Amino acid sequence: MCGAVQYYPYGTLGNLLYVFIDRANVLYNNRTTATSHKAQERFLKQSSSREGHNQRPKLVDGLGNFEPRDLQPREGPGENGKPHFLRQEQQNDADQSESQYGMNIACSDEISLDRSILDTRLEECKHWDYPTDLPSTSVIIVFHNEGWSVLLRTVHSVINRTPSYILKEVLLVDDFSDKENLKSGQLEKYIERFNGKVRLIRNTQREGLIRTRSKGAKEAKGEVIVFLDAHCEVNINWLPPLLAPIYRNHKTMTVPVIDGIDHKSWEVRPVYGDDRHFRGIFEWGMLYKENEVPMKELQTRKYNSEPYKSPTHAGGLFAINREYFLEIGAYDPGLLVWGGENFELSFKIWQCGGSIEWVPCSKVGHVYRSFMPYNFGKLANKKKGPLITINYKRVIETWFDEKYKEYFYTREPLARFLDMGDISEQIALKERLNCKNFQWYMENVAYDVFDKYPELPPNIHYGELRSGAVNKCLDTLGHGPPALMAISHCHGFGNNQLIRLNAKGQLGVGERCIEADAQGIKLAFCRLGTVDGPWLYDENTHVLLHRVHKKCMALHPQTSHLSLMPCDVNNTYQQWYFKQISVK
Ligand code: LR7
Ligand code: MN
């Protein structure tokens, strides 16, 4: 039942963090009220074949001179979202920019900042009509050391494809970039051409994207704020569909459906096919996932292009009423730099009386990089331990009930010992806003999480798994599944050597499982929806028995290959010791 899994590895502070788009198809239940699509219908008139026909004159005015460029074919590199390839002799520039930015800036530099985009919307989207008095909007783009042409193409795309009467401003917030062209007056000079529509403010020290966004929200002048990463291109008529649900209910946050922009060729590609909808969920280690929207959730809608509810979102791209965002405390200011803020905001919104909708008619392209090109700066040094995990800990300690916190600590056992700082203000906010508990959220909103990531049985053991024969530890070596497990020098930091054995016989590393076949001991994807496994650890003899194959995990004395062998409890090459890891 599980389809292709696409993932984006990021090297962060020695940890490997995988941001997943997980395309398994799960059908499940929920209900929505009939009123939501009745309200929708007011905006959908089917007779005309022209886009936004009733209020069309206004939208045309808003799109200005640039509109024909998108609707009529243009010639040139990357036009219509097509891939652009550099010449052989430019390979050096391409490689250099990729290693600096995680994306091929040399390629981007050859593509027009006003390039036309591939219209990836559902056909139905061209027939929706939106109110003429949609709220004024600030588009906030925070950036740290982004490529010049990529950042500015984001700005141009917003200016070109947003009705100007809704667009209050594009607010650029520089998070203390140190690249010369971003630092000097060049950017100030460039944005003069937008006659005040584009504003630039700067941090005086590195704050990280989370605090920088909260700062942007305070500074913004629009009634609604929309956040975009600094490497995006918005699609045709992207904004009105995002605003309509907020117009109806100011506590609704909306999320566009994200297309991929290739970081080498700048090709625009939909991530999913037309006929399937996905929404944001998570597993218990708090890695972000996307899951096919449960059928019942979709059946309550009349049209395939209507918004649907989602438990969470990827983080970067969304619209929200500004005052509402500030009322619920913006982001927890104790969250540093990157990660977890998407969950914090989602749990807060849902548990405290708001909702999140994903909007199929609003499409925005985002460049998925090959790696994270920046470090976390001085802020990271203020914390002991991995910063993203500390962020997660703050979020789950604030919003999870006790039972659910245990699942997080089972999956991330070292997190229990990390210093997350003071969360008393977050707890006070939760009480002040009279927020519901996490059980309610799991039952009513994120009910599809359990289907894939059931309750985790407790760990019997966790730590490094040392061989009884040599002073080495089981290690993934940072490989993704499927890969052979290996042994290497015990480093004591956990990460790829942090092995867990749970009460149901599952041996895991991170969110992956350790299994065995004829080739040897392997790192594998855990079977979705299961938490058990074949392993039995004998506390006396220290052998690890594979109950299905009825053999034991063994290390080859000469080759160091790991495999299953007929059990021999006296053979030290079959003996394994769990050793606790202490947080440094
Ligand atoms: O210290 C920093 N200061 C910044 O201003 C680090 C980053 N930034 C800027 C950066 O220039 C960019 O404009 O913040 C923005 C987001 O940073 P990215 O592009 O490095 O983040 P990402 O796309 O790798 O990761 C996702 O998760 C992040 C942390 O939780 C943010 O929420 C990102 O916005 C988010 N991106 C998306 O949701 C796009 C879709 C990805 C998917 C799936
Ligand atoms: Mn991004």
Side-chain angles (χ1 to χ4, degrees), residues 10 142 144 146 175 206 213 229-231 316 341 369 374:
Y10 291 114
V142 308
H144 175 75
E146 292 283 344
D175 185 16
R206 178 87 180 275
R213 279 200 202 136
D229 280 8
H231 33 256
E341 89 294 343
R369 281 183 297 233
Y374 48 81

Side-chain angles (χ1 to χ4, degrees), residues 8 10 19-21 141-146 173-175 203 206-210 212-213 228-232 258 288 290 313-317 331 337-342 366-369 372-376:
Y8 308 95
Y10 291 114
V19 174
F20 265 81
I21 293 194
I141 300 168
V142 308
F143 65 95
H144 175 75
N145 286 347
E146 292 283 344
V173 193
D174 171 28
D175 185 16
N203 288 344
R206 178 87 180 275
E207 298 285 359
L209 78 92
I210 304 173
T212 307
R213 279 200 202 136
L228 294 180
D229 280 8
H231 33 256
C232 288
I258 303 170
Y288 174 75
E290 290 182 3
H313 69 131
L317 290 51
Y331 289 120
V337 193
W338 192 105
E341 89 294 343
N342 54 329
H366 169 265
V367 182
Y368 292 94
R369 281 183 297 233
M372 191 181 256
Y374 48 81
N375 60 35
F376 285 0

Side-chain angles (χ1 to χ4, degrees), residues 33-276:
T33 55
T35 47
S36 70
H37 74 250
K38 266 200 188 129
Q40 280 285 1
E41 247 176 290
R42 287 199 283 124
F43 302 125
L44 181 64
K45 313 232 172 69
Q46 283 187 299
S47 53
S48 163
S49 62
R50 291 193 61 205
E51 187 178 341
H53 52 100
N54 256 8
Q55 279 75 39
R56 187 60 177 164
K58 285 226 167 195
L59 291 177
V60 169
D61 285 343
L63 288 169
N65 296 335
F66 291 106
E67 194 209 22
R69 291 186 179 175
D70 270 332
L71 301 181
Q72 285 156 23
R74 274 171 44 129
E75 292 295 318
E79 289 298 335
N80 203 32
K82 291 214 174 67
H84 175 56
F85 300 102
L86 295 176
R87 296 182 308 280
Q88 192 54 42
E89 65 265 27
Q90 294 169 292
Q91 195 54 45
N92 243 355
D93 294 344
D95 292 347
Q96 241 178 24
S97 64
E98 270 193 56
S99 63
Q100 203 182 131
Y101 294 93
M103 48 179 97
N104 188 347
I105 302 294
C107 176
S108 166
D109 286 349
E110 295 206 337
I111 298 172
S112 164
L113 298 182
D114 293 311
R115 80 152 161 177
S116 53
I117 196 142
L118 175 69
D119 187 350
T120 58
R121 295 173 302 166
L122 289 166
E123 192 52 36
E124 264 181 23
C125 296
K126 299 174 186 169
H127 303 270
W128 282 93
D129 225 345
Y130 299 95
T132 47
D133 54 344
L134 287 169
S136 76
T137 300
S138 294
V139 174
I140 302 173
I141 300 168
V142 308
F143 65 95
H144 175 75
N145 286 347
E146 292 283 344
W148 174 270
S149 61
V150 181
L151 169 67
L152 286 168
R153 190 173 299 105
T154 308
V155 175
H156 278 240
S157 85
V158 171
I159 297 286
N160 291 348
R161 288 192 274 271
T162 313
S164 66
Y165 72 96
I166 319 177
L167 185 65
K168 183 86 186 168
E169 62 185 345
V170 175
L171 181 60
L172 297 173
V173 193
D174 171 28
D175 185 16
F176 207 55
S177 298
D178 49 26
K179 297 240 185 284
E180 215 36 61
N181 55 357
L182 299 173
K183 238 168 50 175
S184 65
Q186 262 189 71
L187 201 49
E188 282 82 352
K189 181 94 195 96
Y190 187 89
I191 62 174
E192 280 173 11
R193 74 195 58 204
F194 297 112
N195 302 320
K197 257 298 196 231
V198 180
R199 276 204 292 150
L200 170 67
I201 57 172
R202 295 182 189 271
N203 288 344
T204 50
Q205 58 173 16
R206 178 87 180 275
E207 298 285 359
L209 78 92
I210 304 173
R211 288 183 180 172
T212 307
R213 279 200 202 136
S214 293
K215 172 181 172 149
K218 285 179 198 133
E219 174 73 25
K221 295 182 176 149
E223 186 178 332
V224 167
I225 49 180
V226 178
F227 292 103
L228 294 180
D229 280 8
H231 33 256
C232 288
E233 286 171 65
V234 300
N235 214 306
I236 296 164
N237 207 33
W238 71 293
L239 189 58
L242 275 188
L243 297 180
I246 301 173
Y247 173 87
R248 284 193 295 276
N249 180 348
H250 80 285
K251 292 187 175 183
T252 300
M253 166 184 143
T254 54
V255 182
V257 172
I258 303 170
D259 289 326
I261 301 177
D262 189 273
H263 72 279
K264 285 178 187 287
S265 72
W266 254 255
E267 180 180 17
V268 176
R269 294 187 213 111
V271 174
Y272 301 122
D274 264 6
D275 47 343
R276 295 168 73 189

